[in-house]
Amino acid sequence: MRRNWNRRRKWTAAFMVFMAVCLNGCGGAETAETKDERNGAAYFADQMKEEMERQGSKAAAEEESKSHVGEKKTVKIKKAKDLVKFRDRVNDGEVALKGILEADIDLSSVCSESAGNWIPIEHYNGSFDGGGHTITGLYIVTEEERPIGLFGQTDTEAVIQNLGVKDSVIDGGSYAGAVVGECSGTIANCWSDCQVSAITKAAGGVAGFAEEMTGCYNLGEVTGDISWVGGVVGELGRSIADCYNQGSVVGYDFYTGGVIGLLGDESNMPNRVTAVNCYNTGTVRGEICACGVIGEFIGYDDNESLMTNCFNKGAVSVVWEGIKSFYDNKYVFRDQELGGLAGKSSRNGLVNCYNTGTLSSNQSEADNFFVGGLVGRHYDRMYGFNYYNSFAACHFDIHHENGFINGIGVAKADCDNVFFLEGRQLEASMRSGDGEPGNAPESFTDGTVLAALQGWPENGDADKQAWLSRFDELGYELSGWKAGESSPVFDWE
């Protein structure tokens, strides 16, 4: 405001000088002096005109780039009213505004069942650092089909990090997450301990949808009525690393995962997708497809997807409640898939992973029921699935007369250094997958399997190592192994 006042004062002074020059040139005979003054006045008038045109162009340019206003501004947030002001500035156009949380914040005075819904921060494209602080009292309950969370939608350059949300309720139509509803940027080191649910698709404890996530976890209950339900994220576009779930995950239709509901794109996925160093210890319950880590895991053509250094220790179950239809009854689900790590997969590999969680079902009447200690079903028979340096040591309690129950997975798989500990099975025959032998319990405690896992890939097949090298550009490292109480575990557990 001070700057604008100074600008007006300068223009006023300039105008007064201009008028004085003009008045001094009026009346009497023209002299060389008055002629020079007149020429000076004309020059000054031209300068004024050029300056006005320049200011007009600058104002137009600022209006055109309004979405970047605040790009170099930082807002420090200490109270609920500060967060509300930050939200309002972003929603009014300052989408690149930088936010830093400097204290825990309770939003119950701003949004609640009586006060109404929190209005999400929309189309954010800046950097928001929670500083390790926590937001409580976030409340959104709506049936509208729009992304909801502390942030609604964020754009590709957005970075949201070091933030927790707990003791909150996020219940929406689709794309529901405590931190972000739909994030096209990056989410890092964020966590949730809330009730999160969606009516149609994409419910996740931290995010409904995200492109990339790292260092995030969920402790709360996540529920989805139809599709893509995950403890940490409902749908993930590209990569996830160092994330875990300890909460309860419940899906009432298909693609339910302890960490991720859907990893990849069902229609077109030009890039590789990866899940690295992720795990689940919470209970997972689905209907059509359920698993410990990823509900559905998709790769395309030569861009195979990779899951590595992942494990599940939570109980996973599918509950048959009749044939499900979707997309206006044009597509009917008559099958079920149940897996320790992935429920349904295509064109990808599973390397250096394990499952020890129980897999179970009620009395199922599905046309086909696919169960695997690691992967329930690999549905692209034209392309092999790769199981390397992994094991399943789990119980099966499956109630289906003709279920396809396999120790490792139902697939035409390329296996190397893979082990299965046969568990308890009721009302169905037990088969190990693709010729892989079962192992006696003592093989997991006498050091035999541990030594084999520790020695791979150096002691493995050269062709397998060559296949694995195609993922070197992703920059991951295989986790080491150590002895656990009843089976090998990763050295970072």
Side-chain angles (χ1 to χ4, degrees):
M1 190 67 184
R2 180 73 178 178
R3 181 175 57 188
N4 292 337
W5 183 84
N6 287 334
R7 182 180 295 170
R8 287 198 300 270
R9 186 173 63 179
K10 290 177 181 177
W11 278 112
T12 302
F15 183 75
M16 292 177 65
V17 172
F18 173 70
M19 292 301 295
V21 172
C22 290
L23 289 173
N24 288 336
C26 295
E30 182 173 343
T31 64
E33 184 178 4
T34 59
K35 185 176 181 180
D36 290 339
E37 289 173 349
R38 182 180 299 170
N39 291 339
Y43 172 79
F44 189 77
D46 289 339
Q47 291 295 101
M48 288 178 63
K49 182 179 179 180
E50 291 177 5
E51 177 63 13
M52 291 177 68
E53 291 176 348
R54 189 181 72 81
Q55 292 294 333
S57 298
K58 181 179 179 181
E62 288 177 348
E63 183 67 22
E64 183 177 354
S65 61
K66 189 176 181 181
S67 63
H68 297 289
V69 173
E71 188 170 2
K72 295 182 180 180
K73 297 178 182 178
T74 299
V75 175
K76 295 182 179 180
I77 302 166
K78 298 181 180 180
K79 299 179 180 180
K81 65 179 183 179
D82 299 332
L83 185 57
V84 171
K85 289 179 181 179
F86 175 85
R87 176 200 64 193
D88 292 345
R89 289 180 64 180
V90 172
N91 290 356
D92 284 341
E94 295 185 78
V95 297
L97 198 63
K98 183 177 180 180
I100 298 177
L101 207 60
E102 294 191 335
D104 295 342
I105 292 180
D106 182 0
L107 288 176
S108 58
S109 62
V110 176
C111 55
S112 64
E113 186 174 0
S114 58
N117 289 333
W118 166 259
I119 299 173
I121 303 167
E122 295 290 358
H123 305 294
Y124 188 61
N125 209 28
S127 173
F128 189 92
D129 192 335
H133 294 291
T134 302
I135 290 176
T136 59
L138 179 65
Y139 180 89
I140 310 174
V141 178
T142 178
E143 293 184 0
E144 293 183 28
E145 293 288 322
R146 60 183 176 87
I148 60 169
L150 180 68
F151 292 80
Q153 285 183 306
T154 66
D155 294 332
T156 56
E157 296 180 8
V159 177
I160 302 172
Q161 59 186 342
N162 307 322
L163 176 65
V165 180
K166 71 174 184 178
D167 299 334
S168 301
V169 177
I170 300 92
D171 184 356
S174 63
Y175 294 102
V179 178
V180 189
E182 184 176 0
C183 180
S184 297
T186 300
I187 306 175
N189 304 322
C190 292
W191 61 275
S192 169
D193 189 1
C194 309
Q195 295 180 22
V196 179
S197 59
I199 297 172
T200 58
K201 60 184 177 182
V206 176
F209 168 86
E211 280 289 340
E212 296 185 3
M213 298 185 75
T214 182
C216 297
Y217 64 91
N218 174 64
L219 306 176
E221 180 179 325
V222 182
T223 305
D225 287 349
I226 295 183
S227 61
W228 310 339
V229 185
V232 176
V233 58
E235 179 187 3
L236 193 91
R238 184 167 297 182
S239 64
I240 185 169
D242 305 316
C243 294
Y244 68 89
N245 173 66
Q246 293 182 351
S248 170
V249 183
V250 180
Y252 290 100
D253 213 313
F254 63 102
Y255 306 151
T256 303
V259 180
I260 312 136
L262 169 68
L263 178 56
D265 189 322
E266 285 189 308
S267 58
N268 181 32
M269 214 287 299
N271 300 303
R272 282 193 172 120
V273 296
T274 57
V276 180
N277 301 346
C278 295
Y279 68 88
N280 171 65
T281 59
T283 60
V284 180
R285 179 264 194 208
E287 286 191 21
I288 302 301
C289 178
C291 73
V293 179
I294 306 174
E296 184 176 23
F297 188 33
I298 303 174
Y300 284 92
D301 300 325
D302 292 331
N303 289 329
E304 301 103 324
S305 299
L306 177 67
M307 181 193 299
T308 187
N309 307 336
C310 295
F311 70 83
N312 172 63
K313 293 183 179 180
V316 185
S317 64
V318 289
V319 179
W320 177 257
E321 293 189 356
I323 295 173
K324 293 284 182 176
S325 61
F326 193 55
Y327 299 129
D328 297 327
N329 298 319
K330 294 179 181 178
Y331 190 74
V332 178
F333 293 92
R334 296 177 177 273
D335 297 345
Q336 288 183 301
E337 293 93 18
L338 174 62
L341 294 174
K344 195 173 185 179
S345 63
S346 174
R347 293 181 183 262
N348 43 41
L350 186 149
V351 179
N352 222 55
C353 298
Y354 75 90
N355 170 53
T356 58
T358 297
L359 305 180
S360 63
S361 77
N362 65 345
Q363 186 65 49
S364 174
E365 298 178 6
D367 289 357
N368 297 287
F369 191 2
F370 302 94
V371 183
L374 296 180
V375 178
R377 182 183 189 183
H378 182 70
Y379 62 89
D380 189 345
R381 294 184 179 277
M382 299 297 294
Y383 191 88
F385 192 88
N386 302 278
Y387 299 103
Y388 298 156
N389 209 52
S390 301
F391 72 86
C394 56
H395 291 297
F396 295 86
D397 190 0
I398 307 302
H399 299 258
H400 189 287
E401 291 183 359
N402 299 302
F404 296 90
I405 304 167
N406 292 263
I408 300 301
V410 182
K412 182 180 180 182
D414 183 5
C415 298
D416 187 39
N417 215 51
V418 179
F419 306 92
F420 172 66
L421 166 61
E422 184 174 343
R424 178 174 55 91
Q425 171 54 34
L426 300 177
E427 297 187 14
S429 59
M430 185 66 215
R431 301 187 293 276
S432 61
D434 301 300
E436 284 299 313
N439 300 102
E442 59 268 16
S443 66
F444 280 84
T445 56
D446 68 0
T448 303
V449 172
L450 177 61
L453 294 170
Q454 290 173 330
W456 195 89
E458 288 76 9
N459 63 358
D461 188 286
D463 291 337
K464 316 310 188 209
Q465 297 179 43
W467 177 87
L468 188 62
S469 67
R470 70 184 67 193
F471 296 99
D472 288 348
E473 64 189 59
L474 301 177
Y476 74 95
E477 295 182 1
L478 294 178
S479 295
W481 297 83
K482 66 181 180 181
E485 292 183 2
S486 57
S487 68
V489 297
F490 293 130
D491 56 12
W492 45 267
E493 291 183 60

